[in-house]
Amino acid sequence: MSGPTAPQVRRRIVVVAGLVAAALLLVGAVLVRSSSSHNDGGPSGDIAENQGSADGASDDEHSDSDQNEAGAVRAAIASVGAAQRWFYLSDDELVAAVSAITTEGARDRLVEQNLAAVRLARESFAMSSGRVWWVVRPLAWKVDEGAGGRFRVAVWTVTVLSAIGVAVPQSTWSTVHVDLEWVDGAWRVDDMADTPGPTPMTGPHDDPWNAEPFDTALEGFARLETEPVP
């Protein structure tokens, strides 16, 4: 059987890269709170990652549920940074976890949105004949507005994606706006929106890479797991 044509590959690149922005917040937040075990193989059978804590800190070290501005910021950053592990959840785990961390008014909409995104991404990554590199990193944050039991936090984020046969090496820069509401002793997601950028240009000595040499060049590298949380 022949491989995918160039237009098919380009369409998959667009689909998979778009999913990163569409599902970034909610699925990341789910993974912070999920107690399910990780599937080391992942959907492609060989996920390039160094296994570790989803959010880089235990509840004993700091609580994302502190009812103050700092707690809301921690919840937003942890949610975005944990998004790289979203595809480890089964459908049932995803539905339960999203339901547990969203407000009642947003629950049905966000469950449906993220379940569809996860299923489509699983199908896309399963087409890869090699390892899947997907690294999500929050870089900076600010509080857009809020006080008391409601905050909106903006998180500037970069996502690096590469999958042989599915997506050429690429980076996606976005600002994720997280609406958080304090409900039943925890910060819960009430809404989210992302906007492109700000996006830096590549350096003068950077050339485009294909997925195969990209993966070969990173052979033996262990991905860093966490970003500092204020």
Side-chain angles (χ1 to χ4, degrees), residues 95-109:
V95 170
V98 172
S99 299
I101 57 89
T102 51
T103 61
E104 183 175 355
R107 188 161 298 144
D108 291 345
R109 171 175 53 87

Side-chain angles (χ1 to χ4, degrees), residues 18-207:
L19 287 173
V20 173
L24 186 61
L25 169 66
L26 261 298
V27 183
V30 167
L31 286 161
V32 171
R33 306 183 192 282
S34 173
S35 60
S36 63
S37 59
H38 299 304
N39 173 6
D40 291 343
S44 71
D46 191 6
I47 295 295
E49 70 173 328
N50 177 32
Q51 298 293 338
S53 170
D55 65 348
S58 68
D59 289 339
D60 291 336
E61 293 174 31
H62 64 70
S63 172
D64 287 341
S65 300
D66 293 338
Q67 191 180 3
N68 51 39
E69 180 176 306
V73 169
R74 285 196 295 268
I77 293 175
S79 298
V80 172
Q84 61 194 25
R85 294 181 175 276
W86 59 269
F87 45 73
Y88 287 113
L89 293 179
S90 68
D91 285 358
D92 289 342
E93 290 169 339
L94 180 60
V95 170
V98 172
S99 299
I101 57 89
T102 51
T103 61
E104 183 175 355
R107 188 161 298 144
D108 291 345
R109 171 175 53 87
L110 295 176
V111 164
E112 181 179 355
Q113 169 188 322
N114 286 280
L115 188 59
V118 166
R119 287 172 173 168
L120 183 55
R122 285 196 198 114
E123 294 175 1
S124 299
F125 285 142
M127 297 176 186
S128 177
S129 61
R131 295 189 296 176
V132 175
W133 282 91
W134 186 6
V135 180
V136 181
R137 283 293 177 268
L139 302 175
W141 61 271
K142 72 170 183 175
V143 175
D144 281 340
E145 60 184 51
R150 295 186 64 90
F151 280 94
R152 168 170 278 204
V153 180
V155 184
W156 184 43
T157 307
V158 62
T159 300
V160 177
L161 170 66
S162 179
I164 296 174
V166 175
V168 297
Q170 60 196 268
S171 59
T172 301
W173 302 79
S174 60
T175 301
V176 183
H177 301 273
V178 187
D179 286 348
L180 299 162
E181 184 174 343
W182 183 263
V183 180
D184 296 332
W187 287 110
R188 301 185 187 277
V189 177
D190 190 55
D191 201 1
M192 58 83 67
D194 64 274
T195 55
T199 303
M201 293 179 61
T202 57
H205 303 296
D206 292 334
D207 294 320

Side-chain angles (χ1 to χ4, degrees), residues 168-169 206-211 213-215 217:
V168 297
D206 292 334
D207 294 320
W209 287 62
N210 289 322
F214 183 89
D215 186 49

